[in-house]
Every structure is written in C-alpha cells, then in structure tokens.
Amino acid sequence: MTAPTPRRTPAGAAVLREDVTEAIRVAVFEELAAVGYARMSIEGIARRAGVGKTAVYRRWKSKLSLVLDLVGAFAAQGLPAPSSGSLYGDVRALLEVASHALRHPVASQVIPDLLVEAARHPEIAETVKAVLLDGQQGVMTQVVREAVARGELPEGTDPGKALDLAVGPLYWRLVVVRTPLPKGYVDELARSAVAALRA
C-alpha cells in the first residue's frame, strides 16, 4: 500500500504573513488619526505600512471593510468587568478605563471621525455602536447586577440608565467638547452617578 503523499504547506499568494497584517492594522489607525476616514486611502495605508497595495487588497476588499474589521476587533475584545466589591468602586474603575481610552491620541482623532462617517454608512454605524455601546453596556449590566445582589441598588435598576449617567458626561467632555478633565473629575462623576442611581 502506497503511503499518502503529505500535503504541502501553501506558499506564495496563499500565505498571509501576520507581521505584514499587523503592520497594516497599525497603519490604518495612524492614517485615520492623520487624515480621517474620508481622505484615507489604500495607497496611503500601504505607504505607511511599508507594503504594496496588493498586500492590503489581499486581506481586505476596500477601506470600509478594513476599518469595519479592525474596529469590530476592538468590540470583540470587550472591557474587563470591574470587581471592587462596591458600586462606587466599580463605576469609578469603568470610568477610569474609559477616560484613559478616550484620551489616547489616536482614539481622540479616530472616534469623532467615525461618528461622522456613521451617519453616512450604516455598516460603520453598527460597528461603532458595538465598540462604543455594546461592550460597555455588558460591563455595566454586570456592575448593576452585582450591586443589586449586595443591596446597593434596588431590583429593576436599568443598566442603560446607569451607563448614560456614568459614561455619558465623559463622552461629552472628551469626544464632543474635547476639553481636558479637571482634577478629580472621574471621582466626582462616579459619586454623582452612584447617587443618582440610588435616588
């Protein structure tokens, strides 16, 4: 009986090098921050990544699919659920993570631009919602559930309202108005959100 011929590992066009893919991912966010989605081009991304245009097109069919894929990857990662043992501690931890992310130089340029593009592209709107809302909604749901179990919040407390009260002002300041946070702002916001939820 003849031994089966071992299958060859695909070569050439069939193999996508991960280091090239990662260089393109980095270049996309840098290009978004530098020129915005509307002016971003596959040529500019390829140039910034140090690769040819074909390397980009072998992975993504367009700049829209590229951006949706990368932004969606962040949504899939999710946020770590805080577990401080108190409602104030959990809300403050969530605000600290969110404020750090929103103050990142790339995020501060990319998020407002994607919000504008979301009005024109339903696909971007869905992905941005997943990144900006769904992940944090899931975390806040857990925070509220644990606070109810500890007796810190009444049964039926709405996690959506909790998220609005806690994170809404943060987005307003950092994404819309784009002003620095005063010293102690996160502490004060966490206290105010907790007080409003208990009222």
Side-chain angles (χ1 to χ4, degrees):
M1 183 167 135
T2 307
T5 305
R7 297 182 64 182
R8 293 192 324 155
T9 301
V15 176
L16 297 178
R17 288 175 41 194
E18 186 55 37
D19 60 327
V20 172
T21 303
E22 184 57 30
I24 295 170
R25 289 187 181 118
V26 171
V28 170
F29 285 107
E30 291 176 351
E31 192 76 358
L32 272 173
V35 303
Y37 178 84
R39 293 176 54 207
M40 186 180 79
S41 66
I42 297 296
E43 292 81 359
I45 293 167
R47 186 168 50 251
R48 193 179 287 272
V51 300
K53 287 190 299 182
T54 55
V56 180
Y57 281 118
R58 283 170 59 194
R59 291 161 173 81
W60 297 278
K61 64 182 180 181
S62 67
K63 73 174 186 178
L64 177 59
S65 63
L66 196 163
V67 169
L68 292 178
D69 180 46
L70 297 189
V71 174
F74 279 101
Q77 290 174 7
L79 292 169
S83 186
S84 69
S86 74
L87 176 60
Y88 169 79
D90 287 353
V91 170
R92 197 207 176 287
L94 178 61
L95 288 173
E96 188 64 41
V97 170
S99 67
H100 180 73
L102 292 172
R103 282 181 290 188
H104 188 281
V106 174
S108 66
Q109 295 293 326
V110 170
I111 291 175
D113 191 55
L114 287 180
L115 290 174
V116 171
E117 293 301 325
R120 303 185 188 113
H121 299 278
E123 305 98 323
I124 291 181
E126 290 172 13
T127 305
V128 168
K129 177 181 175 292
V131 173
L132 297 183
L133 178 61
D134 293 352
Q136 290 182 345
Q137 183 76 58
V139 172
M140 187 58 85
T141 297
Q142 182 173 333
V143 166
V144 168
R145 185 185 308 121
E146 291 179 1
V148 169
R150 288 191 300 262
E152 292 186 88
L153 287 176
E155 289 281 352
T157 298
D158 181 6
K161 177 185 174 184
L163 189 64
D164 290 345
L165 288 169
V167 184
L170 200 61
Y171 277 105
W172 174 258
R173 273 189 171 269
L174 295 178
V175 177
V176 181
V177 181
R178 305 183 78 174
T179 58
L181 298 182
K183 185 176 181 181
Y185 179 81
V186 170
D187 295 324
E188 183 181 343
L189 179 56
R191 281 193 295 269
S192 298
V194 168
L197 286 169
R198 287 173 172 164

